[in-house]
């Protein structure tokens, strides 16, 4: 998490899942009770109680004990923001693990899970200037739909529909 913070993530203007998590847990990641609370919140997100929230499954990508990144699979895109900009799937790879194919592997590995949720295809978006993420989405079979509000929008077929 310190790597993400070092690149400027987690500030007051970072309204991403990662940014909010960094603000909520700050420097207390190493405290077992704090980490346990975070894990409980991640698990509970699959069954949100709040209105306007959608169920989300978060998977961590690791190499042994080393955290490489995470991918979030939203079970639905029932909010306007998610339909327009957020999409079904979001991911982060820690800075020192980037450009090694992890994001592509994570995205491809998440597609069977999305298919298991009944999603025949998923919307995945990235910022227009994020060439790396665009290449990841395209490598995973993303079909470009359009650009909206600074986001490139792609659809990726899941499960047996990919073949």
């Amino acid at each position: 998490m310190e790597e993400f913070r070092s690149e400027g993530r987690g500030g007051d203007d970072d309204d991403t899942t990662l940014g909010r998590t960094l603000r909520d847990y700050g420097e207390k990641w190493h405290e077992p009770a704090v980490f346990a609370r975070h894990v409980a919140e991640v698990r509970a997100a699959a069954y949100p109680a709040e209105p306007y929230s959608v169920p989300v499954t978060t998977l961590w990508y690791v190499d042994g004990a080393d955290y490489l990144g995470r991918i979030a699979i939203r079970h639905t895109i029932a909010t306007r923001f998610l339909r327009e900009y957020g999409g079904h799937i979001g991911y982060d790879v820690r800075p020192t693990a980037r450009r090694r194919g992890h994001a592509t592997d994570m995205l491809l590995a998440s597609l069977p899970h999305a298919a298991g949720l009944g999603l025949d295809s998923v919307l995945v978006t990235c910022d227009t200037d994020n060439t790396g993420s665009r290449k990841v989405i395209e490598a995973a079979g993303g079909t470009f739909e359009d650009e909206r509000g600074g986001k490139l929008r792609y659809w990726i077929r899941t499960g047996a529909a990919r073949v």
Side-chain angles (χ1 to χ4, degrees):
M1 290 298 147
E2 192 55 40
E3 288 181 31
F4 288 117
R5 188 182 302 282
S6 293
E7 69 175 5
R9 303 294 300 271
D12 291 338
D13 61 337
D14 185 352
D15 195 33
T16 64
T17 300
L18 178 62
R20 289 186 299 274
T21 301
L22 284 168
R23 285 191 302 278
D24 289 348
Y25 294 98
E27 303 300 321
K28 299 180 180 184
W29 284 104
H30 300 291
E31 295 177 23
V34 172
F35 187 71
R37 186 171 71 241
H38 172 63
V39 170
E41 288 177 7
V42 168
R43 288 182 173 165
Y47 310 99
E50 308 87 31
Y52 310 113
S53 291
V54 300
V56 60
T57 298
T58 299
L59 305 172
W60 292 340
Y61 196 67
V62 299
D63 181 12
D66 294 329
Y67 175 88
L68 300 174
R70 64 109 204 159
I71 193 156
I73 306 160
R74 297 175 193 96
H75 301 195
T76 179
I77 52 173
T79 69
R80 180 181 177 277
F81 176 80
L82 293 177
R83 282 191 306 274
E84 297 291 320
Y85 310 108
H88 286 99
I89 296 178
Y91 50 88
D92 297 292
V93 175
R94 69 188 284 181
T96 57
R98 292 181 185 154
R99 298 179 189 214
R100 296 187 205 164
H102 298 310
T104 303
D105 291 346
M106 288 171 25
L107 184 53
L108 288 169
S110 74
L111 297 176
H113 184 84
L117 295 170
L119 301 171
D120 293 329
S121 59
V122 290
L123 176 64
V124 184
T125 69
C126 67
D127 292 338
T128 55
D129 62 351
N130 191 337
T131 302
S133 195
R134 179 184 53 78
K135 289 180 178 181
V136 165
I137 296 166
E138 291 172 353
T143 300
F144 180 72
E145 180 179 49
D146 61 16
E147 177 186 335
R148 298 183 194 178
K151 296 285 186 179
L152 302 176
R153 297 163 33 89
Y154 293 83
W155 288 92
I156 303 174
R157 298 189 57 81
T158 65
R162 292 184 54 75
V163 182

